[in-house]
Each structure stands twice: as structure tokens, then as C-alpha cells.
Amino acid sequence: MTTTEYDVIVIGAGAVGENVADRAAQGGMRTVIVEAELVGGECSYWACMPSKTLLRSGALLRAAQRVGGTREAVTGQLDVAAVFRRRDYMTNDWNDDGQVEWLNGAGIDLVRGRGVITAPREVTVTADDGSVTVLTAKHAVAVCTGSAPLLPDIPGLRESEPWGSREATSAERAPESLTILGGGVVATEMATAYAGFGTQVHLVARSGLLGGEEPFAGELVAESLRELGASLHLDSGVEAVARTEESHFRVTLSDGQELVTEQFLVATGRVPHTIDLGLEAFGLEGGAWLDVDDSMRVLGADGEPVDGGWLYGVGDVNHRALLTHQGKYQARAAGDAIAARAKGHEVSLEPWGAFVATADHQAVPQVTFTDPEVASVGLTAARAEKAGYRIRVVDYEIGSVSGAYVVADNYKGTARMVVDEDRGVVLGATFVGQDVAELLHSATVAVVGEVPLTRLWHAVPSYPTVSEVWLRLLETYGRPEK
Ligand SMILES: Cc1cc2nc3c(=O)[nH]c(=O)nc-3n(C[C@H](O)[C@H](O)[C@H](O)COP(=O)(O)OP(=O)(O)OC[C@H]3O[C@@H](n4cnc5c(N)ncnc54)[C@H](O)[C@@H]3O)c2cc1C
Ligand SMILES: NC(=O)c1ccc[n+]([C@@H]2O[C@H](COP(=O)([O-])OP(=O)(O)OC[C@H]3O[C@@H](n4cnc5c(N)ncnc54)[C@H](O)[C@@H]3O)[C@@H](O)[C@H]2O)c1
């Protein structure tokens, strides 16, 4: 058994843990990171990168088919095996050498194994070979252990061993047929990818699609999935799951219909990796999401930082926004706050400072890479109303913008701007359409910067780009009087 003392211990080397460690190390902290599987975590090997790679080729093929001239030139089908090979390249064949090299360059030590918090500021790591390392931290322990798929309590489900997101993104080939349970981001993205590969997809959702977005987003995505050949079973549920003699899945829906497909993907949300972490010793519940303040210190039931404030919870594990970019944003704030507190500097929790993740509350951007893409930031109209804002909703068909004429023949898509009428600023924006992902950051800047609409008139979008939808939204809202 070896014991080593550091300033900061980070448990979990996903994108978030890496960024906490990096900021702490850059702040002069001796930092160690503990990882049970691959350095780089879910995003690099089983989530963002492989899923977006699986989606990209189909999106590009369909984009080419929407433009006269290339439509005639691109007459073949997707080379599905080549798409999977490109995915293998993106995940570096599930080898983390490159990320370990980055840790070394950043001056962060790595201990491989599963970490458990065994005392205040103490983490015991057990490696696969059984060897044990006890780490102690002078200043902070950051829990960045991420999340795993949630399996609903449905008869036969667990025993049938369905795919979770990992299996869907790391599959070696496309199955002939696939049932997907869920109507969220993973379900719609994987339905788009696999339907594009020629898999017969059945998607079962208990309501509509993409429930957290503006309603037109889910409707446009549903329409496109049907066009791709997927069967949608909306406002439906799964009553039971069993394997057939051929080892296929027999999925019984709430209306009695039976779907028999080669594979079954469960995409019904996530649970936090907080079981068996030793959190109970500090009055926290294992298996629950961590409640944190804006600098990511874990809070106890009394709303105060646990045990004086050495414990941090960053990324998926705190359930504020289950997104890589938002977790990394939290990580920058938390890493800097840890280093500043260690040096005895004041750490202000005032909104928009260097040590807080203020944007988590109502300025979170997200792109769902379906076809059409769904890009949104801030509050939807429903959320803004619920929060008590006096709002005006402005919609515009993106296909009517000159830039969209050029991008695709018969471009289909919708944009929405939600305006706070009392302050004259944008609370939220949603764009649904081809290639809208890169448009989103303009909206994020407007929302986070609380740019007055009167000033947005002076942010002139180039002609002929899809960004001109901003001008159309402003025109629909109306010119300022002075
Ligand atoms: C299919 C899919 C696609 C997605 N696509 C996107 C996308 O396009 N864009 C986006 O922004 N987000 C996307 N997400 C969400 C994104 O993957 C997560 O928000 C992100 O990975 C969270 O990062 P994290 O570092 O908090 O957790 P993780 O990436 O899960 O990292 C946690 C790490 O901790 C390790 N760990 C856990 N417990 C221990 C322990 N006790 N000891 C040591 N190590 C431990 C794990 O092995 C893991 O490496 C997607 C998610 C899924 C499922
Ligand atoms: N492009 C991206 O940014 C991207 C891509 C994939 C995932 N993610 C993130 O990963 C997280 C997980 O994605 P997800 O799709 O698993 O979760 P989600 O929360 O987006 O969707 C879960 C879906 O499952 C349904 N559901 C929940 N419990 C159910 C039950 N018992 N029976 C039937 N349906 C049930 C919900 O109604 C919802 O439609 C999300 O928070 C998302 O932000 C992001």
C-alpha cells in the first residue's frame, strides 16, 4: 500500500475531471486524478464523439441530396462499414494513450483504479490487480464520476440485457432492426443514425419527442424520422421485454402490440455514479445526484457546504446540465475556486464571476444532432412563463431566409426567439433546421450578454447566410421607435 499527499484529488478523468485538474494544476496545486476506466471518460469513447461520428456521414449524404447538382452526382448509399471504421478512429480504438500524454504534459498525476472517499480529504484507490493506494488532499476532493443509463423497472428488461448508450455508440455493425425506448436526446440521435444505416427502427416514447425543447422541435424531428423510415410509437410505453428463441427482443407495448427486433436500446435518462463512493459518511445519499453551490462545493441537507467545504461535485454528477461543454464550464470555475481558496483568496459566489457557473441556471446551450438539428439556448417559452417572465414569442420559418435557399432546396426549419418584454432582452432561442448548430453561439452570446434588442439591430448578419434569420426575427418583433 502506498500513500501520497496532494493538494487536490479529482475522482473521474472524464472531460470534466480533466478540466478541474487542469485549472487546479494551473493554479499551482499538486493534483492527482483517479480513473477506473479510460482517461477521457464517456464523451470521448461512448457518447459525444462516437455518436456524432455515426451521425455525420448520413447528415452529409442527405445534405448533398438536397442540392441540385450534387443530388445527381451522389447516387450511392452510405458505406456503413466505413462509417463504423471512422468512429473507431475517432475513439482511438478505445485507447487512452493520447489523453494520458495530455495529463503528463499538464503536470497532473494519474492513479488508475476505483476511488472511494474513506475519510475527510482521503481517497483510497483499488486498481484492477488489487493493489491499493491511499491518497490524501490538503485542500479538496472533486467528485467528477459522471453518470450511467437509467434502466426503468419493466418486467424482463434488465435480464434481457438491452443496449444502453455505450453499446449503441460502440456497436461493430448496424443491426437489421432496433427498438428504442425513450424520446430524448440519445433516443432521437441514435434513431437518426441507425435509420440512416438502413436499420428498421421503432422508437417508443411515452409522450412526444425532445420534451425539454420548444414543441415544434420534437414535431420536426418526428417528421424527419418517419421520412427516414423509422416507425414512431408515441404516447406509448413498454410493458414487458423478453428474448425470442433467435435471441431477438420481443417488446410488448402498452397497447398490446409486440415488436420483435434484433436489438433493443434503452435511452430513458441517466443515474449518477455516486454509489460506493463513501459519501454516506458525510451525510450524503449514495446513488443520488449531488447538490452543489455555484462554485460546485457539495451541499449537505442543511444547504451548507459539506464538512467545511473540501468536497466538490462537478459535471454530470450534479445534474445541473448533463452536457460536456457545460460540465467543462463548471470545471473551470471549480478548479479556479479550489486554487483560490487554497491560497486564502476570497471566492465570490456573485453571479458571472470567475468562480461560479451562473450560466447553468438559464443560459445552457445544447445541440441535438438529429436531422434537422435542434439548437437551443436559455429558456423555452413554457419555462419562461413558468418562471414568471412577461414574454413575447417570435417565430420565423428559416426556409424563407436567402441563405437557407442556397444551403438546400426546400430548406425546412423554424426559429424562435423568446423576449423578456420588461427588459427588452432575449431569454431563449431555438433553431431547428439543417446546419443550425453553428448558429447557436450567436444566440448564446445574446442571452448571456443580455444584449438589448435595440442593440441587436446593429449586429448585422452577413448576406446570404442562414444567420439572417436573426434580422427576420427582429423585423417580426418590430423596429425600435427611437
Ligand atoms: C450517447 C450520448 C451522447 C452524448 N452526446 C453529447 C454531445 O454531443 N454533446 C454534449 O455536450 N454532451 C453529450 N453527452 C453528454 C456527455 O457525454 C456528458 O455530459 C459528459 O460525458 C459528462 O462528463 P463527466 O466528466 O461529468 O462524466 P464522464 O464522462 O462519465 O466521466 C466520469 C469518469 O469517472 C470515472 N469514474 C466513475 N466512478 C469512478 C470511481 N469511483 N473511481 C474512479 N473513476 C471513476 C468513469 O470511469 C469516467 O471515466 C452525451 C451523452 C450520451 C450518453
Ligand atoms: N447532443 C447532445 O448534446 C447530447 C446527446 C445525447 C445525450 N446528451 C445528454 O445525455 C443525457 C441523457 O440523454 P437521454 O436521452 O438518456 O435522456 P433524456 O433526459 O434526454 O431523455 C430521456 C427520455 O426517456 C423518457 N423516459 C424516462 N423514463 C422513462 C420510463 N420509465 N419509461 C419510458 N420512457 C422514459 C423521457 O420521457 C425522455 O423522453 C441528456 O441529459 C442529454 O443532455 C446530450
Side-chain angles (χ1 to χ4, degrees), residues 11-17 34-38 40-43 46-48 51-52 113-115 144-147 165 169 186 189 270 273 277 314-317 322-325 367 369:
I11 311 178
V16 176
V34 180
E35 175 53 53
E37 294 184 81
L38 293 179
E42 212 67 17
C43 181
W46 298 284
C48 327
S51 64
K52 266 72 265 179
R114 191 155 290 281
C144 307
T145 49
S147 65
S165 50
T169 53
V186 171
E189 285 189 347
R270 313 284 294 175
H273 274 307
L277 264 182
V314 197
D316 272 17
V317 84
L322 285 82
L323 294 163
T324 294
H325 47 272
V367 176
F369 291 84

Side-chain angles (χ1 to χ4, degrees), residues 47-48 51-52 55 147-154 165 181-190 204-212 236-238 266-270 316 319 321-325 365-370 374:
C48 327
S51 64
K52 266 72 265 179
L55 283 155
S147 65
L150 174 154
L151 275 191
D153 198 10
I154 295 172
S165 50
L181 175 60
V185 196
V186 171
T188 53
E189 285 189 347
M190 289 300 96
V204 184
R206 58 185 179 186
S207 49
L209 303 183
L210 298 175
S236 182
V238 168
V266 179
T268 49
R270 313 284 294 175
D316 272 17
H319 207 229
L322 285 82
L323 294 163
T324 294
H325 47 272
Q366 173 159 20
V367 176
T368 301
F369 291 84
T370 40
V374 176

Side-chain angles (χ1 to χ4, degrees), residues 266-347:
V266 179
T268 49
R270 313 284 294 175
V271 290
H273 274 307
T274 54
I275 289 180
D276 299 334
L277 264 182
L279 294 170
E280 294 79 356
F282 307 98
L284 301 165
E285 189 189 334
W289 302 100
L290 297 178
D291 188 19
V292 295
D293 70 11
D294 270 4
S295 69
M296 306 300 130
R297 281 180 308 186
V298 176
L299 302 176
D302 57 0
E304 292 298 318
V306 164
D307 202 27
W310 54 269
L311 184 64
Y312 289 70
V314 197
D316 272 17
V317 84
N318 64 35
H319 207 229
R320 285 163 67 112
L322 285 82
L323 294 163
T324 294
H325 47 272
Q326 220 60 24
K328 284 161 66 177
Y329 161 71
Q330 295 171 6
R332 292 188 286 272
D336 284 354
I338 289 169
R341 287 185 175 120
K343 292 173 194 157
H345 298 170
E346 198 201 326
V347 169

Side-chain angles (χ1 to χ4, degrees), residues 33-359:
I33 199 162
V34 180
E35 175 53 53
E37 294 184 81
L38 293 179
V39 175
E42 212 67 17
C43 181
S44 303
Y45 304 102
W46 298 284
C48 327
M49 292 308 287
S51 64
K52 266 72 265 179
T53 308
L54 291 176
L55 283 155
R56 177 66 182 154
S57 305
L60 212 50
L61 177 63
R62 290 187 293 276
Q65 287 163 343
R66 289 182 195 124
V67 177
T70 49
R71 184 184 305 125
E72 292 74 11
V74 180
T75 52
Q77 300 296 311
L78 274 187
D79 180 340
V80 179
V83 176
F84 279 87
R85 282 198 299 278
R86 183 163 184 266
R87 185 274 324 269
D88 294 349
Y89 170 77
M90 288 293 177
T91 58
N92 203 23
D93 277 314
W94 292 273
N95 175 310
D96 64 3
D97 287 353
Q99 305 247 11
V100 172
E101 206 177 304
W102 177 84
L103 281 182
N104 290 337
I108 300 160
D109 286 351
L110 168 67
V111 175
R112 289 200 186 264
R114 191 155 290 281
V116 178
I117 302 172
T118 35
R121 299 187 184 82
E122 179 189 277
V123 175
T124 300
V125 187
T126 307
D128 285 349
D129 65 5
S131 59
V132 172
T133 309
V134 179
L135 303 167
T136 57
K138 257 197 221 157
H139 299 293
V141 175
V143 175
C144 307
T145 49
S147 65
L150 174 154
L151 275 191
D153 198 10
I154 295 172
L157 180 73
R158 195 171 290 270
E159 307 83 295
S160 73
E161 298 184 359
W163 272 4
S165 50
R166 278 193 172 197
E167 291 73 22
T169 53
S170 62
E172 285 175 11
R173 63 174 184 85
E176 262 175 42
S177 52
L178 170 69
T179 300
I180 301 177
L181 175 60
V185 196
V186 171
T188 53
E189 285 189 347
M190 289 300 96
T192 304
Y194 279 95
F197 298 149
T199 297
Q200 174 54 58
V201 171
H202 290 272
L203 185 148
V204 184
R206 58 185 179 186
S207 49
L209 303 183
L210 298 175
E213 299 285 353
E214 297 286 4
F216 62 82
E219 286 160 19
L220 285 168
V221 169
E223 202 179 310
S224 86
L225 282 173
R226 288 191 180 103
E227 278 166 18
L228 280 174
S231 302
L232 305 189
H233 308 263
L234 305 182
D235 301 307
S236 182
V238 168
E239 296 291 309
V241 184
R243 289 278 197 157
T244 66
E245 276 178 14
E246 297 77 35
S247 202
H248 285 193
F249 291 82
R250 178 177 292 111
V251 180
T252 309
L253 304 188
S254 43
D255 64 2
Q257 193 183 344
E258 281 189 347
L259 303 172
V260 177
T261 52
E262 187 184 339
Q263 268 305 340
F264 179 38
L265 163 63
V266 179
T268 49
R270 313 284 294 175
V271 290
H273 274 307
T274 54
I275 289 180
D276 299 334
L277 264 182
L279 294 170
E280 294 79 356
F282 307 98
L284 301 165
E285 189 189 334
W289 302 100
L290 297 178
D291 188 19
V292 295
D293 70 11
D294 270 4
S295 69
M296 306 300 130
R297 281 180 308 186
V298 176
L299 302 176
D302 57 0
E304 292 298 318
V306 164
D307 202 27
W310 54 269
L311 184 64
Y312 289 70
V314 197
D316 272 17
V317 84
N318 64 35
H319 207 229
R320 285 163 67 112
L322 285 82
L323 294 163
T324 294
H325 47 272
Q326 220 60 24
K328 284 161 66 177
Y329 161 71
Q330 295 171 6
R332 292 188 286 272
D336 284 354
I338 289 169
R341 287 185 175 120
K343 292 173 194 157
H345 298 170
E346 198 201 326
V347 169
S348 167
L349 295 183
E350 284 299 303
W352 307 118
F355 305 119
V356 288
T358 310

